[in-house]
Amino acid sequence: MHKKPMQSRVARTGLAALAGSLLLAAPATADEMAEMVAAAQAEGQVTVYSFTSRIFRVETAFEAAYPGIDLVPFDISSTEQIARIQAELEAGIASADVAYLADAPVVVEALVDPGYLTGYVPPAFAARIPDEFEQPLMAHRLSTKVLMYNEEANPDGPPVMNLWELTTPDWTGRVVMVDPSTRGDYLDLLTELTLQSDAMADAYEQAFGMAISLDDGINNAGEQFIADLLANDVVFVSSTDDVNVAVGAVGQANPPVGFTSYSDRRDNEEEGWALQVANAVMPSPGIVYPAYLGILSNAPNPNAAQLLITFMMGDDSETGGSALAPFYVAGDYLTRTDIPPHPDAIPFDAFRAWRIAPEATREARQDVADLVLSLQ
Amino acid sequence: MTDPAIDIRNLVKRFGSTEALAGIDLSVSRGAFCVLLGPSGCGKSTLLRLLAGLEAPSGGGIRLSGRPVADGRAGVTVAASGRNLGMVFQSYALWPHKTVQGNIVWPLKIAGIPPAQRRARVAAVTRMLGIEALQDRFPGELSGGQQQRVAIARAIAPAPDLLLFDEPLSNLDAQLRVEMRSELLRVHRETGATVVYVTHDQIEALTMATWLVVMRDGRIEQQGPPGALIAEPATPFVSTFLGNPPGNLLLAEPADGGWQVNGVACDGLPVADHAGPVQLFYRPERLTLHDQAGNRRIAGRFLEALPIAGRSIVSADGVDGGSLRRLSAIVDQPPPLAYGDPVFLELPDHPDGVFSMTGERLA
Amino acid sequence: MVVRLGAGGFGAGRLRLSTLPLGTVAWGLVGLLVVVPLANIAIELASADGMQAIRDVFTGRIARNMLWLPLQNTLAIGVVVAVACVALGGLLAWLVTMTDMPLRRTIGFLAAIPFMIPTFSAALSWTVIFGDDRLGPASTGFLHALGVPVPAWLAWGGVPIAAVLIGHLYSICYLMIAAALVLVGRELTDAAEIAGASRWQTLSGILMPVVTPTLVAAGALCFAEAVSSFSAPAILGLPVRFHTLATRAYGAIETGNPERGYVLIATMIIVAAALLAVATLAGRRRRSFATVGGKGGRRIRMTLGPARWPLAIAALAVVLFTTVLPALALLLSSLSAQRGTVFGALTLHYWIGASDPAIAQGQAGILQNPQLVRSFVVTLGIGLATGLVALAAGAVIGAAIHRTQRRWAAAGLRQAAFLPLLVPGIAIGAAFIGFYGAPIGPLPSLYGTPMLIVIAGVAATLPFAVQSVTSALSQISPELEESARVGGAGPLRTWLAVTLPLAFGKLLAGFVLVFVKMVRDLDLVILLYTPQIPLLTVLAFRYASDGFMQFAHAVSVVILVLSVGAHLLANALGRSSQPWLKAPAG
């Protein structure tokens, strides 16, 4: 029934395992694994900066698996992690071991290139992860920022079929997102819209039946969309959870829509939400981007760091066991090719979000950030 | 007959459990310069504040020019502002953010006096006090004496019927005080206002008062013209508080049908029939100094001699009923004595006053 | 810049502690704490990137939204907050210290508390009451839930930001003005009364002008605090895209554009300083009125007559609205089973519950969380250390200001010491990471040590410390110290035996001010903390940004308890340590 997109991808990149083991002289055998655990246990602690609060559940699982090692989790946004790791490494402070973060366009330039953050691909998984997700840092999963709606209030499917509808009076003050001036992933989302300007122009014509005309100072359809969205009183909030509550909370007659993480749908039951992705929206519901795992170059507990990353990739059971459980949810696309897609999720190759290209995004995002600033 | 400027009946003021004024009766005639004199804590400032309307009495009443302004039941019935009075504070209480002129003119503005008249009044009072040149200065830029003059000018500018002074000269140096005393008398004469003046300095009191009120412990000990109080002190306290040097008070006990003062027999007391011990009052100028014991001579030790107006005030301490008491005598020649030398003070044959041990004047 | 906090200065011959060049030490302190880290920012601005940032911010297409509109918003909020705080704080101070208003003790006590409530908690509690459904049910407040229509301008933007800041800062105006009013000689108002002035005339013609220097200083302080505040505009402004320079600077620093952030901060400092300089110059001749004494003694309280109770009730409403209400809102929402519903089912889970994977990613209640205990201890330690070091630094700098003969040098020192008032906490944090984050010569980097937070805290609270110490010492007559010196006591002994005991109460109050500011401050430490030195405010902020509002509010309650506890303890200690001071009547 579901395809296995990751497996097809791994076929294209057959040298993944080799590349992983060449890059890092890491333990490959059971003996070496035992050695790593022993060394990690001698270190006794591992500190991780994580951009998701799900790290707290990893903590519980990890400490159950390795009782002698204390996992100290810190939930810090990707943007702040970058600033913090830069400051700490420049100051020669060894604070953390592992960084779990997104914001790929900045991470590579700011942390990987200067050697602050190094990749680690657990040998046991090297063959099961597509090559493109092993460089320059290993991607643990792909995360999303996509248009979500309230499925309780809209049982027949998404209330909008085209992003351009969000710029019409029907949606004035009813589109919610995190302020892109403060969060890299949302800036990346807007940047992608400008990079996909042709698709945006086509979608405009589809929506309104005429070719798009650009305002003064606007260079392309993507920018025009951003300008129109801001002019339509889009609501900026400070966290994705604010978006989730605004869009998803049950019992609303006329809820807004918003850009948030597809995977936050997993909390629908617990939080009383009815979040659903508007996958069909033209030209695309949003973006997917990698969530990286890396080891700080001055990690005080390098072995425990490797052990944690290995652990976070899951075990050999059907869905990866307790370590992957927090991430085996609808809306998160794991990079491990041997894990079946989540039954409730749209399969990855049917998922219409754009994959960001970190290099191109990095070049364009300052301009987009300034555009957003100039329009508010 | 016109009403007195001030008429106070059985005035009582309590702060919590302490009684600051314990029944004051006082009448001050129009145009008088009434001085309230007494040691710290005697209630004189409280009395002044009640007169000003800054505090309400706990009992009794006050009338100004026949008009009731406060009583123990109704409290303040006429506020300070309605009593047509001016007040000069110990600290001067000049408003620091106003210039000299601003300080003087503000109360006139409050009183609704038209600008032309205001200017005239300010000109008049600044001239009267010799502060015309200081009009644009702030209080912080004035000397103590200048501040004092401004405070007085401010108080008299509205031409009040009643002027109240609360120890106004106590912050000035000795020479300025002498100057300001005559200045105040001149202001009093020129304004014609009734003055109530609080001080603990008896020189101020004796030089300025037309009516002197001596207070102690919330009560009036004695009131009247200063000369009368000096001549006929009504209580032992007044006798030793007033005068410079103060009068001498000695304990006399009946012995062998006569009287003994410090073991020295004395005759001719006007209250020979009195059964118990009494207090004798002698003016300093009536005591004489001797170098050996004799009739009515009290033994003591020489303390100091102060030359004054061609004569000398000699102080000695004598033993009186077991307690040391200072005695003063005014003599023509300074004695060739050093501190601690024995000395004998001879009492005149008749005391200037006799008080019972409870303070009543017997003779 | 010219910020004069209240009148005063040292009496002659103060603090001859040693022959050490006091001025040099003071300038060294101010240099290390204030000048050098800020100069570091200026140097960055002079770089190519910095110049580009200046061009972008002032002339680029972002200029309007990055600089001009936020600047306008910032100044408007600053002025409104300053004026309202002085009016409200002054009125309360007058009612409590000068009138026979009933309940004035209770009201006076409560009025000191709003300053201790973390601003971000106060802002959150505003949304708990006034929020509309712009952000969906999460932001729906009590009034909206009751069906009372809440206009949008009352829910978000400049009005609520100003209201929250006023509710937070009027408290400091109250404290400053009440202290000044108590010092006004009673005879000044007596004299006005005798002159026939009405209550209003006495108040407006005498009392207000006499305490004007304090009013100006209090207003300046509030202005500075308001323009540099980050939390309130971040929470209440963002949903309607209402920005201030502080939120814009934060955004720029956080998104990897620190130079732009520095441009904004530098602009804010310069503009605010210019405004304050004008305000101070306007009131130039009004100096040190508040210390004009008179005969001591009982203060006659103005009788309010029939207005007594209405005024008391109004005053009580103000202090309750700004203390009990936010505290209650925080407490209640920390007990709510479901986020965003204050009046739904209650639970103690967020305080004492064990880990439950179904709730908040399995986070245990805060009292079960070892992180909380650690944060509590670390916060307490850093607060105490900052308080002590700041007061010590304040004493040295205050003494030097007084003793420096050249007036311009003294003024320079004073202005430099007060400069941190205008710098948002986040900018101080950024400056300190920039300068002390890397090793300096042989000295190791301070980053990641509690030392860095303490030093940055001392810098941020230096204006308060200098002011507290100066006013504490200026009220001790120099003769008291001189008589001890003449009696043969050495300088240290004189200080310990005479100065310190006499100034103790005021110094303690200053210490508590610094302590509280440190304990409840988020902006300053958000860039400086590391996982090894967790702080309560950071913990609360982390919880809040994960959407775990109940945890966040529970931690806010802990912060509040810590702050108010310190305040109460200091009150008790200050009173019992100074038996010669009778508790002020009424």
Side-chain angles (χ1 to χ4, degrees):
Chain A
M1 180 181 150
H2 295 297
K3 292 186 191 167
K4 295 188 175 170
M6 299 295 181
Q7 280 174 347
S8 62
R9 215 166 280 123
V10 85
R12 270 187 270 125
T13 56
L15 292 173
L18 184 60
S21 50
L22 280 178
L23 255 175
L24 295 142
T29 66
D31 275 357
E32 281 167 330
M33 181 69 191
E35 218 172 87
M36 181 171 77
V37 172
Q41 251 149 1
E43 288 164 355
Q45 191 180 345
V46 57
T47 303
V48 55
Y49 290 163
S50 160
F51 77 121
T52 166
S53 56
R54 281 179 270 178
I55 197 67
F56 298 122
R57 287 176 65 192
V58 173
E59 178 190 9
T60 315
F62 182 80
E63 287 172 358
Y66 302 102
I69 308 174
D70 183 20
L71 192 159
V72 184
F74 284 91
D75 182 2
I76 303 174
S77 77
S78 300
T79 316
E80 201 186 326
Q81 282 191 50
I82 294 164
R84 184 165 285 278
I85 291 170
Q86 275 181 322
E88 288 177 1
L89 273 284
E90 275 166 24
I93 302 290
S95 247
D97 300 300
V98 175
Y100 185 29
L101 76 178
D103 223 349
V106 184
V107 167
V108 176
E109 185 183 32
L111 300 183
V112 179
D113 290 350
Y116 295 158
L117 202 57
T118 54
Y120 174 71
V121 182
F125 296 102
R128 289 179 266 176
I129 297 169
D131 186 43
E132 60 174 314
F133 296 131
E134 295 185 345
Q135 295 296 334
L137 295 171
M138 183 183 68
H140 180 242
R141 60 188 166 105
L142 300 181
S143 203
T144 59
K145 282 290 166 295
V146 290
L147 188 68
M148 307 278 284
Y149 68 97
N150 187 313
E151 63 180 351
E152 184 199 43
N154 303 282
D156 303 328
V160 286
M161 296 307 293
N162 190 310
L163 285 182
W164 286 99
E165 289 174 42
L166 302 180
T167 65
T168 62
D170 282 355
W171 295 96
T172 301
R174 294 180 57 225
V175 181
V176 186
M177 67 188 295
V178 175
D179 186 350
S181 309
T182 61
R183 274 274 292 268
D185 42 4
Y186 282 85
L187 187 54
D188 291 347
L189 168 66
L190 297 188
T191 305
E192 190 65 25
L193 295 175
T194 65
L195 295 175
Q196 303 279 358
S197 275
D198 292 344
M200 290 301 288
D202 291 347
Y204 183 91
E205 216 165 328
Q206 250 179 339
F208 303 125
M210 56 177 177
I212 188 166
S213 66
L214 302 180
D215 293 350
D216 278 354
I218 298 291
N219 298 313
N220 56 50
E223 290 188 7
Q224 186 66 54
F225 176 78
I226 294 171
D228 292 352
L229 189 66
L230 262 74
N232 206 28
D233 193 22
V234 62
V235 179
F236 284 164
V237 294
S238 59
S239 77
T240 49
D241 261 306
D242 291 340
V243 181
N244 295 338
V245 177
V247 174
V250 296
Q252 299 190 78
N254 194 17
V257 294
F259 291 96
T260 180
S261 306
Y262 182 15
S263 59
D264 285 344
R265 180 172 152 76
R266 73 187 181 277
D267 293 329
N268 271 359
E269 202 165 320
E270 178 202 322
E271 298 279 0
W273 297 339
L275 289 172
Q276 182 55 285
V277 66
N279 190 43
V281 73
M282 289 301 290
S284 164
I287 55 167
V288 290
Y289 53 91
Y292 289 139
L293 275 169
I295 300 179
L296 277 79
S297 60
N298 65 351
N301 310 298
N303 293 294
Q306 293 188 353
L307 181 63
L308 174 63
I309 291 180
T310 307
F311 177 80
M312 283 180 72
M313 293 311 289
D315 58 24
D316 290 329
S317 62
E318 171 75 14
T319 59
S322 61
L324 266 188
F327 307 101
Y328 184 70
V329 296
D332 268 335
Y333 295 96
L334 296 169
T335 52
R336 262 179 72 180
T337 51
D338 56 333
I339 303 284
H342 193 278
D344 295 338
I346 297 163
F348 189 73
D349 51 3
F351 190 51
R352 299 183 56 255
W354 288 314
R355 288 263 302 274
I356 67 164
E359 192 63 28
T361 305
R362 185 174 69 199
E363 281 169 16
R365 97 206 280 257
Q366 184 63 59
D367 259 2
V368 176
D370 285 357
L371 174 71
V372 171
L373 271 178
S374 69
L375 289 172
Q376 285 183 27
Chain B
M1 175 186 156
T2 56
D3 290 306
I6 299 170
D7 185 18
I8 294 174
R9 296 280 166 82
N10 195 26
L11 194 65
V12 175
K13 179 65 183 176
R14 280 181 289 270
F15 295 106
S17 57
T18 56
E19 197 163 58
L21 294 179
I24 299 288
D25 289 293
L26 175 64
S27 180
V28 180
S29 58
R30 202 170 298 276
F33 196 114
C34 168
V35 173
L36 305 180
L37 176 69
S40 307
C42 69
K44 57 192 188 295
S45 285
T46 303
L47 179 55
L48 195 73
R49 295 180 61 81
L50 282 163
L51 270 175
L54 295 171
E55 314 234 8
S58 312
I62 304 174
R63 285 166 181 268
L64 298 179
S65 301
R67 179 170 66 138
V69 294
D71 67 53
R73 278 184 310 280
V76 174
T77 50
V78 176
S81 50
R83 297 187 182 187
N84 194 20
L85 50 82
M87 183 159 174
V88 176
F89 294 86
Q90 185 177 14
S91 70
Y92 316 140
L94 296 179
W95 299 308
H97 57 296
K98 294 185 188 293
T99 59
V100 166
Q101 188 183 7
N103 263 282
I104 297 170
V105 89
W106 196 69
L108 301 176
K109 277 189 195 162
I110 295 286
I113 294 170
Q117 256 175 284
R118 288 208 295 259
R119 276 193 296 277
R121 279 306 291 167
V122 171
V125 297
T126 50
R127 197 170 50 247
M128 188 192 289
L129 286 147
I131 50 173
E132 300 107 306
L134 307 176
Q135 292 205 31
D136 294 325
R137 300 238 203 128
F138 283 93
E141 302 164 337
L142 301 178
S143 71
Q146 291 169 328
Q147 291 187 22
Q148 176 66 270
R149 287 166 187 271
V150 176
I152 294 167
R154 182 177 72 181
I156 64 176
D161 297 336
L162 182 57
L163 264 175
L164 306 178
F165 292 87
D166 188 4
E167 307 203 26
L169 305 187
S170 60
N171 289 336
L172 299 180
D173 62 44
Q175 203 187 335
L176 262 178
R177 274 192 222 188
V178 175
E179 271 177 38
M180 286 308 296
R181 283 207 307 259
S182 40
E183 196 78 0
L184 283 172
L185 287 174
R186 188 167 63 83
V187 167
H188 174 233
R189 200 186 60 215
E190 292 184 15
T191 59
T194 309
V195 168
V196 179
Y197 184 105
V198 161
T199 184
H200 60 259
D201 181 329
Q202 61 157 314
I203 297 187
E204 283 175 29
L206 295 172
T207 51
M208 298 166 82
T210 59
W211 190 259
L212 181 58
V213 179
V214 177
M215 293 182 64
R216 185 171 73 137
D217 293 341
R219 293 171 198 284
I220 293 179
E221 287 272 324
Q222 191 177 1
Q223 55 180 308
L229 268 65
I230 296 279
E232 286 279 308
T235 67
F237 174 77
V238 174
S239 73
T240 53
F241 189 74
L242 275 188
N244 190 19
N248 300 303
L249 203 62
L250 289 155
L251 181 71
E253 288 159 312
D256 306 330
W259 294 84
Q260 273 206 330
V261 178
N262 282 6
V264 179
C266 295
D267 306 322
L269 286 174
V271 283
D273 56 335
H274 202 77
V278 293
Q279 302 178 81
L280 305 180
F281 165 57
Y282 296 95
R283 294 185 194 288
E285 60 270 28
R286 297 192 61 226
L287 267 51
T288 50
L289 219 57
H290 301 272
D291 54 3
Q292 45 195 290
N295 190 29
R296 294 195 310 276
R297 288 181 184 175
I298 310 285
R301 282 179 311 154
F302 176 76
L303 293 176
E304 60 183 25
L306 172 66
I308 188 162
R311 305 185 79 194
S312 284
I313 299 173
V314 174
S315 300
D317 58 1
V319 181
D320 177 12
S323 67
L324 246 54
R325 180 166 281 190
R326 195 178 172 104
L327 296 175
S328 303
I330 298 181
V331 297
D332 291 336
Q333 295 295 321
L337 292 171
Y339 177 84
D341 287 349
V343 72
F344 297 90
L345 293 148
E346 187 177 306
L347 307 173
D349 48 1
H350 282 284
D352 297 303
V354 181
F355 299 103
S356 75
M357 292 310 286
T358 56
E360 296 147 79
R361 181 149 187 154
L362 303 170
Chain C
M1 59 153 257
V2 192
V3 176
R4 280 188 60 100
L5 292 178
F10 291 76
R14 176 85 45 202
L15 260 179
R16 289 194 199 95
L17 278 183
S18 64
T19 51
L20 234 160
L22 198 56
T24 314
V25 177
W27 268 113
L29 278 172
V30 170
L32 287 176
L33 289 170
V34 182
V35 179
V36 172
L38 289 180
N40 203 42
I41 287 185
I43 290 167
E44 295 222 0
L45 285 181
S47 69
D49 281 354
M51 296 312 283
Q52 181 60 42
I54 292 175
R55 275 192 297 276
D56 286 349
V57 167
F58 275 87
T59 60
R61 59 174 169 165
I62 58 171
R64 183 165 164 274
N65 287 313
M66 188 90 180
L67 177 69
W68 302 118
L69 287 182
L71 179 63
Q72 203 177 309
N73 290 340
T74 305
L75 293 181
I77 286 181
V79 170
V80 168
V81 168
V83 170
C85 282
V86 169
L88 192 57
L91 194 64
L92 275 177
W94 173 70
L95 285 172
V96 168
T97 58
M98 311 282 282
T99 73
D100 65 344
M101 177 180 71
L103 301 175
R104 52 185 181 272
R105 248 196 184 169
T106 311
I107 290 167
F109 174 78
L110 287 174
I113 289 179
F115 188 63
M116 300 171 192
I117 299 176
T119 333
F120 76 92
S121 308
L124 288 175
S125 57
W126 180 275
T127 63
V128 167
I129 298 161
F130 293 104
D132 65 8
D133 59 354
R134 185 166 173 88
L135 307 186
S139 70
T140 308
F142 178 52
L143 292 178
H144 192 274
L146 282 180
V148 181
V150 180
W153 56 261
L154 191 59
W156 310 106
V159 171
I161 293 169
V164 163
L165 288 175
I166 291 166
H168 176 61
L169 293 172
Y170 83 87
S171 166
I172 199 122
C173 280
Y174 161 78
L175 292 174
M176 287 174 71
I177 297 170
L181 284 177
V182 168
L183 289 178
V184 174
R186 179 183 58 171
E187 296 183 345
L188 289 185
T189 49
D190 283 349
E193 207 178 315
I194 286 174
S198 68
R199 272 174 213 163
W200 171 245
Q201 283 169 320
T202 306
L203 198 61
S204 64
I206 303 296
L207 210 47
M208 290 255 293
V210 167
V211 296
T212 292
T214 306
L215 298 184
V216 170
L221 179 66
C222 288
F223 177 81
E225 287 266 309
V227 298
S228 63
S229 158
F230 165 73
S231 306
I235 291 168
L236 296 167
L238 189 58
V240 288
R241 282 183 253 153
F242 181 97
H243 279 276
T244 63
L245 288 179
T247 62
R248 278 297 184 214
Y250 179 84
I253 292 171
E254 281 288 277
T255 51
N257 257 324
E259 290 84 7
R260 284 184 181 178
Y262 297 156
V263 173
L264 295 179
I265 288 163
T267 309
M268 179 190 339
I269 293 175
I270 291 165
V271 172
L275 269 180
L276 291 180
V278 170
T280 311
L281 281 177
R284 182 130 215 180
R285 285 186 95 167
R286 309 166 177 280
R287 283 181 296 116
S288 51
F289 294 157
T291 50
V292 174
K295 233 174 177 178
R298 304 163 307 275
R299 178 166 293 283
I300 311 298
R301 291 186 175 275
M302 181 177 286
T303 49
L304 296 171
R308 276 179 90 223
W309 279 103
L311 280 172
I313 288 164
L316 197 65
V318 167
V319 293
L320 288 181
F321 191 74
T322 53
T323 53
V324 175
L325 204 60
L328 213 61
L330 290 176
L331 188 65
L332 259 180
S333 57
S334 77
L335 296 172
S336 307
Q338 188 136 35
R339 183 165 87 116
T341 52
V342 177
F343 298 95
L346 298 183
T347 173
L348 279 175
H349 173 82
Y350 300 100
W351 285 90
I352 56 170
S355 175
D356 175 353
I359 303 176
Q361 307 291 358
Q363 291 260 66
I366 63 162
L367 297 182
Q368 296 257 351
N369 186 347
Q371 190 77 26
L372 179 91
V373 179
R374 232 173 91 79
S375 302
F376 188 87
V377 173
V378 169
T379 305
L380 192 63
I382 285 184
L384 291 174
T386 307
L388 284 176
V389 178
L391 279 202
V396 172
I397 294 166
I401 288 172
H402 169 68
R403 279 184 48 184
T404 304
Q405 298 296 317
R406 293 177 297 274
R407 281 187 63 179
W408 58 267
L413 192 57
R414 172 174 262 274
Q415 305 313 349
F418 282 122
L419 192 59
L421 263 188
L422 285 178
V423 187
I426 182 121
I428 294 182
F432 270 74
I433 285 204
F435 188 70
Y436 291 99
I440 305 168
L443 299 169
S445 158
L446 290 176
Y447 186 82
T449 63
M451 272 259 289
L452 183 60
I453 296 186
V454 169
I455 295 176
V458 170
T461 56
L462 200 57
F464 293 88
V466 171
Q467 178 58 25
S468 301
V469 173
T470 335
S471 81
L473 297 187
S474 66
Q475 282 171 28
I476 302 171
S477 153
E479 286 93 345
L480 294 175
E481 281 177 5
E482 282 156 6
S483 63
R485 301 292 302 279
V486 170
L492 186 64
R493 183 147 173 208
T494 302
W495 208 80
L496 288 177
V498 178
T499 318
L500 192 60
L502 287 174
F504 185 74
K506 285 218 145 197
L507 290 179
L508 196 67
F511 175 84
V512 169
L513 193 67
V514 172
F515 175 85
V516 163
K517 217 173 138 45
M518 205 57 202
V519 161
R520 66 148 176 75
D521 184 85
L522 175 66
D523 302 358
L524 175 70
V525 298
I526 191 78
L527 290 179
L528 294 176
Y529 93 98
T530 61
Q532 280 66 42
I533 31 176
L535 292 162
L536 285 174
T537 45
V538 175
L539 194 62
F541 181 71
R542 293 270 160 253
Y543 278 133
S545 51
D546 283 335
F548 306 153
M549 298 314 295
Q550 294 94 333
F551 287 122
H553 290 157
V555 176
S556 292
V557 171
V558 172
I559 295 170
L560 194 56
V561 167
L562 189 60
S563 299
V564 176
H567 179 55
L568 285 175
L569 192 69
N571 258 359
L573 215 61
R575 213 166 278 167
S576 68
S577 70
Q578 294 180 296
W580 59 88
L581 285 183
K582 277 186 196 154

